[in-house]
Amino acid sequence: MVQQLRVLQSLWAMERRLANEAEWPLRTQLTMIRDAGFDGAGVRFIDPAFATEATHVLRDHGLIWQAQCYPKTVDDLKPVLDLVARLGADHVNLQPDVRPLRLHDCIPFLEGWRRLADQADIPVHIETHRDRMTTDLFFTLQLLDCFPDLRLTADISHYLVGREFAWPVDDTNHGLIHRILDNAWGLHGRVASREQIQVSLSFPQHQGWVELFMGWWEYAIRSWRKRAGPDAVLTFLCELGPPPYAITGPDGTELSDRWQEALQMKDMIRALWQRIVSEDQPPPG
């Protein structure tokens, strides 16, 4: 038995949103993902017809998927879990689309979603994301105080922007991010700066941010490997979003090629994983 990393590509990130060009058909997107060597995709499980078509193609290609959902109530999760029971999924990625002002008001949502997940025997991860229950770093840390075993999908780009950490990031803020990563059972991949949610991986001026996130992802992987079982699977979803996430010039054209950068991110994360695994191997003899 051996722990494994699976690198997925977000179908949302496959959107081009070009004024004068059609979107790639779904099957074209999925074929590109397969041919590029990804292990699977992130699929919205809100539209059953879309989820059925996407997962059918992914299964035929021998790929996996995570099920994305955005419930506003506890019961909103039920049809998603029913669909996962029928179509399968590595796990459900839940963006809690509610914004209680008080910690106490969050508890019934989290307890309800966790109860439904346990009853269905389907893993559900709560994503850290702006404009959701988890929008604020400090608030989310208080949620972890209430639910120390809460399984998160860590998209830490939102916290760097939301808190606008000073540069260089100090030990206190590193420690706050590490607390989130110590509860991460999946990762969403995007590099942010303290002012922008998504910056190009390849531009020279962004390399400090790339190094920051690679360091955080290394911490997350090492933390997960200590907590997870010997045959567990960690998913890393490359999620370089279309405009307005992607920065554009005056004509609306993106300043970098997100697809090529997704391929770059995939290779960077796999190389990081291999380095960590090799370092954790006991010396021969």
Side-chain angles (χ1 to χ4, degrees), residues 20 63 89 98 126 146 152 158 179 210 220-221:
N20 57 351
L63 303 179
V98 289
I126 307 297
C146 294
L152 299 178
H158 295 287
R179 281 196 62 198
V210 174
I221 291 171

Side-chain angles (χ1 to χ4, degrees), residues 251-271:
D251 62 351
T253 302
E254 296 182 38
L255 301 184
S256 59
D257 187 326
R258 279 185 295 116
W259 173 245
Q260 291 301 318
E261 292 202 336
L263 303 183
Q264 179 184 353
M265 178 176 285
K266 166 178 62 68
D267 293 342
M268 292 166 62
I269 292 301
R270 283 184 175 158

Side-chain angles (χ1 to χ4, degrees), residues 146-174:
C146 294
F147 299 93
D149 60 342
L150 188 65
R151 293 196 171 210
L152 299 178
T153 293
D155 184 341
I156 48 180
S157 64
H158 295 287
Y159 289 148
L160 177 60
V161 171
R163 281 285 160 183
E164 199 175 354
F165 289 167
W167 181 262
V169 176
D170 62 25
D171 289 345
T172 297
N173 285 327
H174 275 300

Side-chain angles (χ1 to χ4, degrees), residues 42-55:
V43 180
R44 293 184 298 273
F45 264 56
I46 302 305
D47 179 349
F50 175 84
T52 299
E53 180 181 1
T55 57

Side-chain angles (χ1 to χ4, degrees), residues 9-10 12-15 17 129-130 155-158 160-162 188-203 205-206 209-210 213 217 237-248 254-259 261-262 265:
Q9 167 69 354
S10 165
W12 169 66
M14 298 298 289
E15 296 178 14
R17 301 187 183 178
H129 202 288
R130 288 172 301 159
D155 184 341
I156 48 180
S157 64
H158 295 287
L160 177 60
V161 171
H188 280 192
R190 178 188 306 110
V191 171
S193 72
R194 62 194 296 261
E195 307 292 357
Q196 296 165 328
I197 189 58
Q198 183 172 297
V199 299
S200 170
L201 301 180
S202 57
F203 291 2
Q205 66 269 31
H206 297 155
W209 303 113
V210 174
F213 274 78
W217 291 329
L237 180 76
C238 297
E239 199 180 30
L240 304 181
Y245 265 66
I247 301 172
T248 56
E254 296 182 38
L255 301 184
S256 59
D257 187 326
R258 279 185 295 116
W259 173 245
E261 292 202 336
M265 178 176 285

